[in-house]
């Protein structure tokens, strides 16, 4: 059997491209064309947070203006209001007479309560001490939310 010598495309430069250019091209099927064109259309990103904010900002320009105005007002007040040191603020604060009386009365009640508690918890060697309340347990710790480091 005698085989003819094969023609190699590598012997002739650009032979493949030349043969390919001679082949007539048929139009693509319509469904394939539609699918390719649909794939090239720009897609909207479906990122959750970004899409939401885009919809909010683009759909409500009055909201953007309102926020801008509010933050501008806040920044202006912050920059134009002088900072007053605490010592100066305390010196300039004027207390009403009723407030001062109320604070003094509350302070006196608190001191009386503290002194009563100290008398009840202190050991008494005298027989003339008033009897303990019936509802109190001896050496009971005060009912507070904060622990103390007193030894009982």
């Amino acid at each position: 059997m005698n085989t003819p010598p094969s023609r190699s495309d590598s012997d002739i430069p650009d032979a493949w491209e030349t043969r390919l250019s001679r082949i007539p091209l048929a139009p693509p099927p319509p469904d394939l064309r539609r699918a390719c064109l649909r794939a090239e259309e720009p897609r909207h990103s479906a990122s959750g947070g970004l899409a939401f904010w885009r919809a909010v900002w683009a759909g409500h320009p009055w909201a953007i203006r309102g926020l801008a105005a509010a933050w501008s007002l806040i920044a202006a007040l912050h920059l134009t209001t002088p900072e007053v040191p605490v010592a100066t603020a305390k010196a300039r604060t004027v207390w009403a007479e009723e407030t001062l009386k109320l604070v003094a009365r509350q302070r006196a009640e608190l001191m009386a309560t503290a002194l009563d508690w100290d008398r009840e918890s202190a050991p008494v060697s005298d027989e003339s001490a008033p009897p303990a309340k019936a509802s109190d347990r001896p050496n009971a710790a005060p009912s507070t939310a904060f622990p103390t480091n007193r030894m009982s």
Side-chain angles (χ1 to χ4, degrees):
M1 183 164 160
N2 201 1
T3 58
S6 66
R7 241 180 96 193
S8 172
D9 287 335
S10 62
D11 296 340
I12 306 167
D14 298 326
W16 171 254
E17 286 85 7
T18 316
R19 276 193 293 160
L20 190 60
S21 67
R22 285 189 222 135
I23 298 174
L25 297 176
D31 56 342
L32 177 65
R33 179 178 166 79
R34 275 193 304 270
C36 291
L37 290 175
R38 196 175 320 121
E40 288 298 315
E41 290 176 358
R43 291 184 213 138
H44 298 289
S45 64
S47 60
L50 189 60
F52 169 75
W53 287 113
R54 236 185 236 144
V56 167
W57 296 127
H60 306 287
W62 53 268
I64 298 171
R65 292 184 198 119
L67 282 174
W71 278 109
S72 299
L73 180 66
I74 290 170
L77 287 174
H78 179 71
L79 294 175
T80 58
T81 305
E83 292 186 25
V84 179
V86 175
T88 308
K90 282 183 181 179
R92 292 181 185 174
T93 303
V94 178
W95 292 92
E97 189 64 30
E98 293 176 7
T99 307
L100 293 174
K101 287 180 183 178
L102 180 65
V103 169
R105 191 178 82 225
Q106 287 178 349
R107 185 177 293 150
E109 289 174 4
L110 182 62
M111 290 302 293
T113 305
L115 289 175
D116 286 345
W117 183 78
D118 280 344
R119 277 193 220 119
E120 288 176 3
S121 65
V124 179
S125 61
D126 207 16
E127 293 289 328
S128 65
K133 294 178 185 172
S135 63
D136 287 345
R137 296 178 302 182
N139 294 332
S143 59
T144 63
F146 301 107
T148 60
N149 57 358
R150 286 189 175 210
M151 303 286 283
S152 45

